Amino acid sequence: MSRDPDGAQWAMQPVWPVVTASEYRADRVVHAVGLLVAPVAVAALVADVVLARSGPLVVLGVAVYGAALLTMLTCSALYNLLRSSPWRDWLRRCDHAAIFAMIAGTYTPFTLLWLPREWGWAFCLAVWAVAAVGIAIKLAWPRRLERVSLVLYLALGWSILPVVGPMTAALSPAGSLLLLAGGGLYSLGVVFHLWNRLPYQNAIWHGFVLAAAACHFAAIALGVAG
């Protein structure tokens, strides 16, 4: 049996990890930063491309990315902060499924805007197809295939490697560096995600996610502005 920060006990399976009150507060701060900053940043980016009368492909790529980012942050906050919710198991499913949506959503503007159109669309659809499989696994079989899901997260995240040459050639040096830095931060954060015995493990992992998302947001903003 585990205990939440407010002392409420969980008598039913599944048993949730023990989280101290200070760890919960730290994680709450990280999520608060994301939920306060991201909606404003996404709204500003979408407004910028719309007011600049950018093409429909630019608006589509940015809108899909923004929706995926906000979905991931919202699902993560609901699952990690509403620890006494009777819907906690479903919140966990949505949280883990939203990671796949976030990966595919982040790829969308990069593949549609900075890859040759004849195969950029094909690459984008392939990424979303794999993400859909991952989302289905997390929603239907939330506590099975955990290792497979982790490998799928990383493989999908780094599926950019075959096209990293033309991608970085289309972006500015700063944009390319931010793109790769974001991927590196996500991957490094997985170490802390798996390090269950580490104090403040959840807050650290979510801090890496925020930092990586910020890098990718900046890369997209620079690319659109350029």
Side-chain angles (χ1 to χ4, degrees):
M1 183 180 296
S2 62
R3 185 181 296 271
D4 70 11
D6 299 319
Q9 292 182 331
W10 291 85
M12 299 178 61
Q13 293 295 330
V15 176
W16 305 103
V18 175
V19 177
T20 67
S22 59
E23 289 174 320
Y24 175 76
R25 284 194 294 269
D27 199 26
R28 186 166 55 186
V29 168
V30 175
H31 278 92
V33 171
L35 290 176
L36 288 172
V37 175
V40 176
V42 168
L45 184 59
V46 172
D48 182 61
V49 297
V50 171
L51 293 175
R53 297 185 179 179
S54 304
L57 207 58
V58 177
V59 176
L60 174 65
V62 169
V64 169
Y65 161 71
L69 174 62
L70 296 180
T71 298
M72 182 196 70
L73 292 175
T74 301
C75 289
S76 179
L78 290 174
Y79 166 58
N80 287 282
L81 301 186
L82 299 182
R83 302 190 61 81
S84 58
S85 170
W87 298 97
R88 186 154 166 72
D89 186 60
W90 271 103
L91 293 176
R92 180 182 186 273
R93 299 184 194 208
C94 293
D95 175 39
H96 291 189
I99 298 174
F100 282 109
M102 175 58 187
I103 296 172
T106 302
Y107 267 113
T108 300
F110 287 106
T111 54
L112 295 186
L113 304 181
W114 299 298
L115 284 180
R117 184 166 299 185
E118 58 271 16
W119 51 279
W121 273 97
F123 193 91
C124 182
L125 292 175
V127 168
W128 272 105
V130 175
V133 172
I135 291 170
I137 290 174
K138 284 302 182 183
L139 292 178
W141 304 284
R143 295 185 180 275
R144 300 180 186 177
L145 306 174
E146 291 285 356
R147 293 183 179 180
V148 173
S149 298
L150 180 59
V151 171
L152 201 57
Y153 283 136
L154 292 172
L156 188 62
W158 286 105
S159 60
I160 193 175
L161 290 179
V163 297
V164 71
M167 182 76 73
T168 54
L171 291 168
S172 67
S176 300
L177 182 61
L178 287 165
L179 171 63
L180 297 176
L185 286 170
Y186 274 125
S187 299
L188 182 59
V190 171
V191 175
F192 297 95
H193 173 62
L194 298 174
W195 195 348
N196 293 321
R197 296 181 181 273
L198 178 70
Y200 298 94
Q201 169 248 354
N202 245 10
I204 295 171
W205 155 239
H206 291 135
F208 270 92
V209 170
L210 270 188
C215 287
H216 285 160
F217 181 91
I220 293 168
L222 282 175
V224 170

